[in-house]
């Protein structure tokens, strides 16, 4: 770190000098636009994860297979929370099987009820107002560590319910052919995609940590996939922004690492099958520089006079 500081100091006086970028990885603190924030730092054997975002709704780790039945909560599980996270980020959640997930507990019952139309789950929101900001903008982001990107659909965040197609929510997931997918089913059952890199600095490697994000500006979806490494100073965009529709008024069952639909065989069978951490949902469209990658101040920001003093001290 000291050598980097010297190089940055010299850059003030020698503009042609090339200096290496220096960055840090930083766990999120909630800001005014953070609606949901799950650090997943709970100890092993817990089943409820705290939400540091403005909404305050916690998440419950549950077993979605088999469907418990109409009006019944799914069994809570104590094997998801307390996993080892990326160094410096505390614990993580381990959604280790297709049937596991973390459902947001809207009715504060300490349990999660999957989607059903009769009766409607008490954990179902009437709309997406706790996610969307003005103009229906939002951002979903997380850190993930998965063994494969070609082994079926793997949900990161879902608001999909058991309503008819016209009133279903969104799916943000990894597909079985190695892409990131965003689909807002209640508006358009066709998805938009971006490829997960397989070459270069951010190429997928099994069982390594990556940061993933979907930012929606009210019209276009932008995808990010970035290796979790302090050498990077911003998130890495993948693909190009692509248009997709959303609907504030559609039902919402908010689930992390799976979906909340009580359909399929087995039900809720699109688990992440991997580790997830630092899940944040924001009611703004965040940009590449607003994620966990934080550049340290540049020489220009630090100011020439202070750096001149630093150089003098080093010479002495």
């Amino acid at each position: 770190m000291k050598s980097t500081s010297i190089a940055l100091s010299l850059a003030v006086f020698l503009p042609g000098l090339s200096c290496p970028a220096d960055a840090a990885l930083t766990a999120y603190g909630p800001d005014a636009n953070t609606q949901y924030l799950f650090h997943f730092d709970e100890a092993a054997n817990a089943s409820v994860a705290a939400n540091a975002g403005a909404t305050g709704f916690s998440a419950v780790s549950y077993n979605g297979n088999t469907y418990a039945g109409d009006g019944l909560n799914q069994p809570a599980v104590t094997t998801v929370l307390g996993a080892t996270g990326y160094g410096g980020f505390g614990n993580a959640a381990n959604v280790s099987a297709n049937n596991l997930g973390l459902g947001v507990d809207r009715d504060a019952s300490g349990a999660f009820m999957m989607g059903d139309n009769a009766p409607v789950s008490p954990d179902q929101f009437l709309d997406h107002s706790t996610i969307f900001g003005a103009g229906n903008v939002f951002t979903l982001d997380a850190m993930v560590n998965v063994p494969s990107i070609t082994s079926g659909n793997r949900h990161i965040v879902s608001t999909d319910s058991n309503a008819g197609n016209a009133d279903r929510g969104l799916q943000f997931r990894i597909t079985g052919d190695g892409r990131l997918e965003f689909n807002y089913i209640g508006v358009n059952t066709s998805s938009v995609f971006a490829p997960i890199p397989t070459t270069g600095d951010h190429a997928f490697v099994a069982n390594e940590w990556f940061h993933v994000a979907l930012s929606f500006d009210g019209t276009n979806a932008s995808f990010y996939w970035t290796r979790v490494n302090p050498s990077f100073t911003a998130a890495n965009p993948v693909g190009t922004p692509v248009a997709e529709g959303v609907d504030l008024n559609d039902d919402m069952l908010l689930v992390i690492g799976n979906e909340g639909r009580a359909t399929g065989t087995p039900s809720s069978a699109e688990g992440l099958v991997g580790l997830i951490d630092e899940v944040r949902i924001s009611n703004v469209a965040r940009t590449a520089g607003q994620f966990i990658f934080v550049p340290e101040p540049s020489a220009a920001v630090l100011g020439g006079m202070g750096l001149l003093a630093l150089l003098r001290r080093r010479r002495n």
Side-chain angles (χ1 to χ4, degrees):
M1 187 68 73
K2 289 182 180 179
S3 62
T4 301
S5 298
I6 295 172
L8 289 173
S9 302
L10 289 171
V12 173
F13 307 103
L14 301 173
L17 179 66
S18 176
C19 299
D22 198 18
L25 297 171
T26 304
Y28 296 128
D31 62 18
N33 299 113
T34 303
Q35 297 296 92
Y36 297 87
L37 176 57
F38 295 98
H39 296 297
F40 294 134
D41 286 336
E42 287 75 19
N45 299 317
S47 62
V48 177
N51 171 17
T55 64
F57 299 111
S58 60
V60 177
S61 53
Y62 70 92
N63 184 342
N65 181 33
T66 56
Y67 176 50
D70 292 349
L72 298 177
N73 291 319
Q74 294 299 125
V77 295
T78 58
T79 57
V80 171
L81 297 173
T84 300
Y86 183 85
F89 281 78
N91 288 340
N94 185 10
V95 184
S96 60
N98 281 327
N99 56 296
L100 301 178
L102 293 131
V104 168
D105 181 16
R106 179 178 179 265
D107 68 341
S109 68
F112 179 71
M113 188 181 298
M114 290 173 63
D116 197 358
N117 285 328
V120 171
S121 166
D123 294 314
Q124 180 171 299
F125 296 77
L126 296 179
D127 57 34
H128 282 65
S129 60
T130 66
I131 291 181
F132 293 174
N136 292 347
V137 302
F138 66 93
T139 304
L140 314 175
D141 74 288
M143 293 165 58
V144 297
N145 180 324
V146 296
S148 173
I149 55 171
T150 55
S151 58
N153 292 326
R154 303 299 175 202
H155 281 272
I156 300 166
V157 175
S158 170
T159 65
D160 199 3
S161 71
N162 265 31
N165 276 1
D167 204 28
R168 291 170 63 182
L170 65 86
Q171 298 175 341
F172 178 42
R173 62 189 182 182
I174 298 169
T175 66
D177 58 358
R179 296 184 293 174
L180 295 174
E181 175 186 9
F182 170 48
N183 187 10
Y184 197 98
I185 301 168
V187 173
N188 187 348
T189 55
S190 62
S191 303
V192 295
F193 302 91
I196 295 174
T198 56
T199 60
D201 289 341
H202 304 285
F204 172 74
V205 176
N207 303 312
E208 288 194 10
W209 283 99
F210 291 85
H211 175 268
V212 61
L214 166 70
S215 179
F216 185 75
D217 66 5
T219 301
N220 294 311
S222 297
F223 296 91
Y224 298 87
W225 177 272
T226 316
R227 187 181 305 280
V228 178
N229 187 300
S231 65
F232 300 118
T233 58
N236 174 59
V238 290
T240 58
V242 59
E244 174 73 324
V246 300
D247 186 349
L248 173 73
N249 296 312
D250 285 342
D251 297 338
M252 183 180 88
L253 272 174
L254 179 54
V255 177
I256 297 162
N258 212 316
E259 59 178 351
R261 286 170 58 78
T263 59
T265 305
S267 58
S268 194
E270 295 188 354
L272 183 68
V273 190
L275 300 169
I276 189 166
D277 201 5
E278 289 299 300
V279 175
R280 181 178 64 170
I281 300 177
S282 310
N283 63 4
V284 291
R286 297 196 186 268
T287 60
Q290 297 178 313
F291 297 111
I292 62 171
F293 309 94
V294 181
E296 291 189 346
S298 67
V301 171
L302 291 173
M305 293 305 293
L307 291 171
L308 179 59
L310 172 63
L311 287 173
R312 286 172 175 164
R313 287 198 302 271
R314 291 189 183 281
R315 283 201 301 269
N316 296 331

